[in-house]
Amino acid sequence: MGSMRQGFFERVSARRDATALAIRDALVRHVRAYGEQASTARITLLHEVHETWRPVLCRAPGGGPLHRDDLAVYRELARSRALHAFPFADFRAGFEVAHTAGLRACLAVAEPGESVQPVAFTAWGVRELPRVLDAVTESYLDVHRSRGNAPAARALLLDALLAGRVPGPGPDAGHLVLVFRPKERDAAVAAGTTAAVERLLGERSGLLWRGDPATGELLVTVPVESTVQRAREVARELAVDLAGAWRSRLHAAEAFGASPAEVPAALREARRTLRLVTALPDAGDRPYREDDLLVELAVARQPDVRLRLTRLLEPLDRGPDLRRTLESLLACGLDRQRTAAALHLHRRSLAYRLGRIKELTGLDPATPHGIQVLRTAVCAARLDVLPE
C-alpha cells in the first residue's frame, strides 16, 4: 500500500481524545467485564485506550505494519490484565469492540467524496488487528505459564484455537476436534470420575480439553503431529479410556481442521455429527465422522422423509414393548441370543415380537432391506426429539 495523504489523518489525530472516549464508552457498554468495573477504574481505562491508540495514529497514515515496539504496548496491557485475573475472553473481545468503535469514529471525519484514505485506513485495521490479537494472546498465556497455572494456560490456548488463531506444532498444523458424551448422565458417576478424566487427558501431550457439566459434553482437540491417521488412532484409544473413566458407554464424533483457521468449522461439524451419533440405535464406543453417517445426514436434512420414516414405527406402539424390542435388536448387532438376554425373554417370545413387528410395519427385520429401513426409521424418530 502506498503512502496515504495526510488530510484525513490530520483530522483523525485532532479528534483523538473524542475517539478514545468513544472507544472507552463502547467497551463499558458492550464488554461485560469492563461494564462491571467501578467508575473510578474507567479513568484508568481511558488512559489505556489512549496508549493503545497511539501506535495506530503513528503507523496507519503510512500504511506500514505495526513495529515490534508498537506491539509491546498491547503485550504489556495483556500482561497486566492476566496478573489481575481479567477474563481473557472479555479482554480479547474488547480489542474487537475497540476496533469497531475506533473505526466508526474515524470514518465519521471523512469529507464528502473522500474515499481513498478512509478505505485504506479500514484495510490497514483489518490487516493489523489479527497481529494485535496474537500478541496479546501470547503475552496473556506467558503469564499463566510462568505461574505454573496449567489449567488456565490450557483454557486460554483452547479459546484461541476455537477462534481459529493459535498455531499448533507448525504454522499450518491441523487438529482433530473430538466431542464425547457419556450415554449415562448419572451426576454422581460424573462427579466421581472428574479427576480420573483429567488425569488420563493430562497424560497425553498436546491435548486441549474442556468439559461442560450442563450438557455432559467433553471437547478435546488432538494436534496432528505426524498423520491424520495417527491422530485418529489416538482418538479411538481415548474413547476407550474415557468409557472406562466414566464407567459408561459413550457417544463420540470427530472432525478434522487442516489448519487453525478451520478448527471452528470442524467443531461445528463434530457437534452436528454427535447429534446423529446420539440418534443411532447401534452406535459403537468410537468417534464417528460425518462421512460415516451419510444416510443419517440425508435423513436429518429432509423433514418430510424423516416424518414418513417416523410414522412407519407408530403401529409398534400398539404392542407391548415392540419398539424397545426393535431398538434392542439393533443395539445388540442383530444377535437374537444377546437381544433375548438383554430383554430377559425366551427366544420364542423374541421371535413372536419380531413377527409382530413384521406384521405391523410390513418390514421384515430378518431381511437386509427390512432391517435397514427399520434402523433408519428408529434414527429418524430419535432425531425428532433431540435438540438441534
Side-chain angles (χ1 to χ4, degrees):
M1 182 188 302
S3 178
M4 306 176 199
R5 290 180 323 215
Q6 296 299 301
F8 171 72
F9 280 99
E10 286 176 354
R11 296 192 298 276
V12 167
S13 180
R15 286 183 52 83
R16 59 183 177 273
D17 290 344
T19 299
L21 187 61
I23 293 172
R24 193 277 307 272
D25 290 346
L27 290 171
V28 171
R29 283 197 308 272
H30 300 297
V31 181
R32 180 188 56 80
Y34 287 120
E36 293 175 351
Q37 286 183 330
S39 57
T40 53
R42 296 177 185 179
I43 299 173
T44 302
L45 178 59
L46 182 59
H47 172 73
E48 291 169 341
V49 170
H50 272 291
E51 289 300 307
T52 56
W53 190 238
R54 197 185 312 278
V56 175
L57 295 176
C58 179
R59 304 300 173 195
L66 291 166
H67 294 182
R68 185 180 184 86
D69 290 345
D70 299 327
L71 292 173
V73 173
Y74 305 109
R75 289 194 180 97
E76 184 56 35
L77 181 61
R79 174 177 168 76
S80 174
R81 291 287 190 271
L83 290 172
H84 289 87
F86 193 92
F88 177 74
D90 284 353
F91 180 53
R92 184 185 175 94
F95 276 93
E96 295 170 344
V97 168
H99 173 257
T100 301
L103 181 62
R104 184 184 297 115
C106 291
L107 294 181
V109 306
E111 296 178 347
E114 187 177 42
S115 62
V116 174
Q117 292 177 1
V119 168
F121 176 59
T122 301
W124 181 89
V126 169
R127 187 177 69 245
E128 292 300 303
L129 179 61
R131 296 184 63 225
V132 171
L133 292 176
D134 283 348
V136 299
T137 299
E138 181 183 357
S139 184
Y140 207 100
L141 181 60
D142 284 345
V143 170
H144 289 300
R145 282 174 171 162
S146 66
R147 289 182 157 191
N149 191 346
R154 184 182 68 241
L156 176 57
L157 277 173
L158 184 58
D159 283 341
L161 180 60
L162 297 181
R165 297 296 310 159
V166 173
D172 297 316
H175 286 78
L176 197 63
V177 180
L178 307 168
V179 283
F180 299 95
R181 187 176 293 139
K183 293 183 180 179
E184 301 297 331
R185 290 288 307 280
D186 187 303
V189 171
T193 57
T194 299
V197 169
E198 291 282 337
R199 214 166 28 246
L200 75 88
L201 292 170
E203 289 171 353
R204 291 172 168 81
S205 65
L207 298 189
L208 300 174
W209 68 90
R210 172 183 299 144
D212 183 348
T215 64
E217 178 188 281
L218 175 66
L219 163 65
V220 182
T221 63
V222 180
V224 178
E225 296 176 328
S226 55
T227 65
V228 178
Q229 183 56 39
R230 176 55 193 147
R232 287 186 170 133
E233 290 171 4
V234 171
R236 283 176 174 267
E237 295 166 2
L238 188 57
V240 172
D241 290 344
L242 282 172
W246 274 328
R247 299 193 292 276
S248 165
R249 298 193 65 191
L250 53 78
H251 293 128
E254 68 175 58
F256 174 59
S259 69
E262 294 182 17
V263 167
L267 175 58
R268 292 192 293 272
E269 180 182 322
R271 283 178 168 155
R272 286 196 306 268
T273 304
L274 185 66
R275 182 171 179 267
L276 297 177
V277 174
T278 304
L280 296 178
D282 52 358
D285 292 333
R286 67 175 180 86
Y288 285 78
R289 285 179 272 170
E290 197 170 61
D291 284 353
D292 296 329
L293 305 171
L294 294 179
V295 172
E296 292 79 8
L297 182 63
V299 169
R301 291 178 175 176
Q302 300 194 46
D304 291 344
V305 173
R306 195 165 68 244
L307 177 61
R308 292 173 67 181
L309 285 165
T310 300
R311 285 176 175 170
L312 284 176
L313 300 181
E314 289 178 355
L316 299 185
D317 296 329
R318 300 176 195 166
D321 291 328
L322 293 182
R323 191 185 289 256
R324 187 163 71 96
T325 299
L326 175 59
E327 292 180 350
S328 294
L329 179 68
L330 291 165
C332 292
L334 308 183
D335 185 321
R336 294 197 178 194
Q337 185 173 347
R338 286 176 55 205
T339 304
L343 294 171
H344 306 290
L345 290 176
H346 190 279
R347 291 193 66 178
R348 290 180 184 175
S349 298
L350 175 62
Y352 170 77
R353 289 189 184 184
L354 295 179
R356 287 289 290 154
I357 290 172
K358 177 182 176 181
E359 291 173 13
L360 292 170
T361 64
L363 295 162
D364 187 353
T367 66
H369 171 72
I371 197 62
Q372 180 182 18
V373 176
L374 288 168
R375 177 186 180 277
T376 307
V378 169
C379 183
R382 291 183 172 189
L383 282 171
D384 273 348
V385 299
L386 288 173
E388 292 291 341

